[in-house]
Amino acid sequence: MKVLFCSSEVVPFAKTGGLADVSGTLPAALAGAGVDVKIVMPLYRCIDKKKFKLKKLDNDTFLGKLGNKVEVYFIENKKYFDRDGLYQEKGVDYPDNLERFTYYCEQTLQLLKKIKFKPDIIHCNDWQAGLIPVYLKTRYNNDPFYRKMKTVFTIHNLGYQGLFSAEEFSLTGLDKTLFSIEGLEFYGKVNLLKGALLFSDKITTVSVAYAREIQTPEFGCGLEGVLQKRAADLTGILNGIDYDEWNPLKNKALVKNYGPENIDGKYVNKTALQKSVGLAVNKNVPLLGIITRLADQKGLDILTAVIDQIVGMPVQFILLGTGDQRYHALFEEIKKKHKNTSINLSFDAQLAYKIYAGSDIFLMPSYYEPCGLGQLISFTFGTIPLVRRTGGLADTVIDYDPFTKEGTGFVFERYEAGALLEALKRALCVYSDAKAWAGIMRRAMQSDFSWKKSAKQYCSLYTGIKSQK
Ligand code: ADP
């Protein structure tokens, strides 16, 4: 099986979000399962050619490696990609993003001829790669080189669709007739994600629950009709996490490594964290952690609505996040008002490890969550997630049942501040029962969300498509 994996960001080369984590780990897991997989991404300014030992192939292509198995092709174009940001600067999107990612999609298909690689499947991710399935079924439809290639398109977050003004449609090079309701037109704009949903052979998203939710008006972001029509070709495959990176037994940022066999080590990290951020050092006080993009999607409106009540209880609260300036201002206020809070408005990978290890409860009250990595990472660190029942959170966190004493976290249903507060009170009540809490921690730490299982599901999806005529 030959697969070309197309993603606009891949860890460790370039990252703005979860897409990069997936693109930096799933291809390696596929290679481990015997797939011949290659990646194509743009060569951004932030990618250090020397550090990653990139080899120049020709005027506009460089070659590098992910791990020791997966080849990564970088498309170079100084005008489009030699910039400070990937998609934007200082919160403002680049005005020529349509041109930039049209170029990326066209060059990706041209590259295949250049390197004489004929994949069975082209696996495209998010709107930036959305034109590839469209080109294959239109412009390249009669080209024998591409004729047998099939496409899989993965939605990592339906909230980001690649929307552009109608006047820019001609930049895609597509026939005018495709700017219609049956094509890429969406309320008078060009929608690249819609194009991908219409022209891909199969569509996946990153959890089973999210695959269901995006077919409803509440979560479909206007594309629910298109997704309903393609329901037979739409599946949910849960993301995994990289247990080499997210492992309290090995992580170098921790003051003491620990695992399910020596949970006490967690409290050494907790007190070290309290000390380093200026919280009162106290092993027993419940420490609530949250690491997130500061965006509406993440449930910050319901959290901030009851934050005074939350931090008025005998708890400590630590936040790490950046994003929406409105939330920056809100959390600055909270910091001024409450001594038992630590507010960190930055992106800080090292502090993130420390918070995952040092907190007792991890908050994810998201309005919607395609998969979510925070809750999976928390599990491995024995930090118990408190989540809203949505998307990947619904698929991965089992609500604690005080009667059977089973469960891996605390789950609330309604998107309301009161429901969040009630779940937190429930969690705090169980926290005061050390034996019950230790049981939840043990189960959480032993859960397995590695890539192996998901890679197997992608492999059978690929095999299924390949066998179709
Ligand atoms: P999303 O991709 O929607 O932002 P996920 O839960 O899928 O949310 O993944 C977020 C990832 O980014 C997690 O690994 C989380 O630890 C990390 N992260 C988010 N904000 C920060 C931050 N301010 N500093 C460090 N890591 C962060």
Side-chain angles (χ1 to χ4, degrees):
M1 174 71 64
K2 290 187 189 149
V3 174
L4 183 77
F5 196 88
C6 305
S7 173
S8 60
E9 48 184 280
V10 180
V11 158
F13 306 109
K15 168 171 174 170
T16 68
L19 168 64
D21 289 315
V22 174
S23 307
T25 41
L26 171 60
L30 291 171
V35 176
D36 178 3
V37 54
K38 301 184 195 300
I39 302 175
V40 190
M41 69 179 292
L43 184 68
Y44 303 107
R45 181 182 289 168
C46 64
I47 300 173
D48 185 336
K49 290 188 205 129
K50 259 203 196 126
K51 178 178 154 202
F52 292 115
K53 300 194 179 83
L54 305 193
K55 218 166 69 190
K56 192 174 171 88
L57 292 187
D58 59 31
N59 270 345
D60 41 32
T61 327
F62 281 77
L63 176 62
K65 271 212 162 162
L66 179 72
N68 51 16
K69 276 197 183 142
V70 182
E71 286 184 338
V72 186
Y73 289 83
F74 295 89
I75 293 175
E76 185 182 48
N77 182 302
K78 292 231 157 66
K79 178 175 153 212
Y80 292 139
F81 304 126
D82 190 12
R83 303 182 184 185
D84 282 344
L86 269 56
Y87 319 121
Q88 52 166 246
E89 262 170 60
K90 299 191 179 91
V92 181
D93 284 346
Y94 290 128
D96 57 349
N97 273 345
L98 179 61
E99 211 177 319
R100 298 172 74 224
F101 289 97
T102 294
Y103 181 81
Y104 163 69
C105 292
E106 277 173 340
Q107 289 300 306
T108 296
L109 289 172
Q110 289 307 318
L111 176 78
L112 291 176
K113 280 191 173 170
K114 227 166 25 186
I115 61 172
K116 298 189 177 62
F117 183 61
K118 270 195 182 182
D120 301 291
I121 308 288
I122 305 187
H123 187 157
C124 304
N125 294 275
D126 279 355
W127 68 263
Q128 293 88 344
L131 283 173
I132 293 174
V134 187
Y135 288 149
L136 275 178
K137 288 255 168 77
T138 55
R139 186 185 301 171
Y140 294 107
N141 203 20
N142 291 319
D143 186 327
F145 182 83
Y146 299 102
R147 200 171 295 140
K148 283 196 180 148
M149 295 177 199
K150 304 278 187 186
T151 49
V152 171
F153 183 79
T154 299
I155 305 164
H156 294 264
N157 190 333
L158 196 64
Y160 302 88
Q161 302 182 353
L163 290 174
F164 301 95
S165 70
E167 295 75 56
E168 289 182 89
F169 183 72
S170 61
L171 294 172
T172 62
L174 292 168
D175 193 274
K176 275 204 283 275
T177 55
L178 282 173
F179 189 68
S180 66
I181 195 148
E182 287 81 31
L184 281 72
E185 193 266 339
F186 183 75
Y187 299 100
K189 292 197 157 178
V190 183
N191 186 328
L192 297 189
L193 189 90
K194 185 183 175 204
L197 298 182
L198 291 172
F199 286 89
S200 303
D201 292 295
K202 292 280 176 193
I203 303 165
T204 72
T205 188
V206 289
S207 69
V208 173
Y210 194 58
R212 222 174 20 242
E213 288 169 358
I214 56 179
Q215 295 179 55
T216 67
E218 192 180 0
F219 297 105
C221 304
L223 289 172
E224 59 275 10
V226 179
L227 287 157
Q228 283 162 16
K229 272 196 204 132
R230 301 258 9 226
D233 295 313
L234 168 64
T235 48
I237 301 179
L238 200 67
N239 285 338
I241 57 167
D242 178 359
Y243 284 110
D244 282 332
E245 180 181 5
W246 304 108
N247 187 340
L249 280 167
K250 298 197 228 174
N251 195 293
K252 292 202 169 70
L254 307 193
V255 290
K256 189 169 170 61
N257 288 111
Y258 66 96
E261 307 306 323
N262 60 335
I263 284 180
D264 278 355
K266 180 172 175 65
Y267 298 100
V268 180
N269 288 289
K270 177 174 176 177
T271 49
L273 174 66
Q274 288 168 326
K275 201 168 165 198
S276 71
V277 297
L279 289 169
V281 176
N282 178 345
K283 172 176 175 264
N284 298 317
V285 64
L287 176 50
L288 318 179
I290 178 164
I291 303 173
T292 185
R293 279 187 293 119
L294 298 179
D296 286 339
Q297 174 206 338
K298 299 296 181 178
L300 299 167
D301 50 350
I302 59 169
L303 176 67
T304 48
V306 283
I307 194 75
D308 288 334
Q309 281 150 279
I310 291 176
V311 297
M313 295 193 278
V315 300
Q316 291 177 339
F317 176 87
I318 182 163
L319 170 131
L320 171 62
T322 51
D324 208 324
Q325 290 308 310
R326 189 162 55 94
Y327 290 119
H328 278 245
L330 266 171
F331 283 109
E332 287 288 6
E333 281 304 306
I334 291 160
K335 182 177 172 175
K336 276 190 219 145
K337 265 194 341 210
H338 302 282
K339 273 208 179 105
N340 55 340
T341 63
S342 163
I343 305 296
N344 307 274
L345 301 169
S346 61
F347 192 95
D348 185 339
Q350 294 301 307
L351 181 59
Y353 293 131
K354 290 176 182 153
I355 296 175
Y356 281 120
S359 307
D360 297 295
I361 296 172
F362 192 80
L363 304 176
M364 285 183 86
S366 307
Y367 175 59
Y368 77 90
E369 195 62 73
C371 173
L373 297 176
Q375 82 281 20
L376 307 180
I377 296 168
S378 296
F379 281 152
T380 69
F381 285 90
T383 303
I384 305 309
L386 186 157
V387 307
R388 194 173 93 79
R389 196 188 301 284
T390 183
L393 299 173
D395 285 353
T396 54
V397 183
I398 305 165
D399 194 27
Y400 179 72
D401 180 333
F403 298 105
T404 61
K405 301 212 180 308
E406 279 166 9
T408 52
F410 296 87
V411 184
F412 67 97
E413 195 87 38
R414 283 170 293 118
Y415 189 70
E416 286 167 12
L420 161 62
L421 197 58
E422 186 273 330
L424 181 59
K425 285 183 181 159
R426 212 153 45 83
L428 293 174
C429 182
V430 182
Y431 181 82
S432 63
D433 176 349
K435 201 167 153 217
W437 196 260
I440 308 179
M441 282 169 77
R442 210 169 303 112
R443 274 191 299 282
M445 293 179 90
Q446 283 163 350
S447 58
D448 178 10
F449 291 98
S450 59
W451 271 108
K452 227 175 173 174
K453 222 176 355 186
S454 314
K456 227 168 137 184
Q457 287 175 276
Y458 279 110
C459 285
S460 45
L461 179 78
Y462 298 154
T463 313
I465 309 173
K466 197 183 163 187
S467 62
Q468 282 172 3
K469 283 267 161 71

